[in-house]
Amino acid sequence: MRAAGGYPAVAHSCQPATDILARVGDKWSVLVVILLGNGTKRFNEMRRLINGISQRMLTLTLRGLERDGLVTRTVFPTVPPRVDYALTDLGRSLLGPISALGAWAFGHRQEIDAARLAYDIRADTDSSS
């Protein structure tokens, strides 16, 4: 059974956390938050620094992060207009958990690679039978 929004059905009280985790767990959101953790950036600067992100995906990601109060967007009245993006205090508070998760992933990468290899070998063996 699937709940509204495409998420697996969860208790109604868990839905707010599920929505937030979907945003902050998105790979592009994580990369943008990490990048902005180093200071204010302009759109095209971020696009150059985040390998593989399209203009549309960066726009959608920034809008979502801004909507959630994690990023601010400041427009300067120049020609052409200059737009800067920065983390809010709330966004900066996310850097610790993201860094901890990244450190965990880096520290356990060999175990995860070994588990994946063992799984793939089992799956290949099972599909050959």
Side-chain angles (χ1 to χ4, degrees):
M1 177 176 208
R2 296 189 79 75
Y7 300 111
V10 294
H12 181 70
S13 63
C14 295
Q15 192 61 44
T18 302
D19 293 341
I20 293 166
L21 290 172
R23 165 74 58 225
V24 300
D26 170 78
K27 83 173 183 178
W28 298 122
S29 295
V30 168
L31 291 173
V32 168
V33 168
I34 290 170
L35 188 61
L36 292 176
N38 295 321
T40 300
K41 302 281 185 278
R42 294 173 74 178
F43 183 91
N44 284 328
E45 181 181 8
M46 284 189 284
R47 189 161 170 229
R48 282 191 306 273
L49 292 170
I50 301 174
N51 188 31
I53 195 166
S54 68
Q55 180 172 336
R56 175 169 166 68
M57 185 52 65
L58 181 55
T59 298
L60 292 173
T61 300
L62 287 166
R63 283 182 187 161
L65 291 169
E66 184 180 9
R67 181 174 183 254
D68 290 344
L70 301 171
V71 168
T72 59
R73 179 179 184 267
T74 306
V75 180
F76 296 92
T78 59
V79 178
R82 183 177 127 202
V83 181
D84 286 350
Y85 294 89
L87 291 178
T88 63
D89 288 341
L90 183 61
R92 280 188 290 281
S93 74
L94 185 56
L95 285 170
I98 286 176
S99 296
L101 183 58
W104 179 88
F106 187 78
H108 292 88
R109 69 189 184 286
Q110 291 176 335
E111 294 167 80
I112 292 168
D113 287 344
R116 287 176 177 174
L117 179 60
Y119 177 90
D120 291 346
I121 290 169
R122 283 192 314 272
D124 286 345
T125 302
D126 291 345
S127 67
S128 298
S129 302

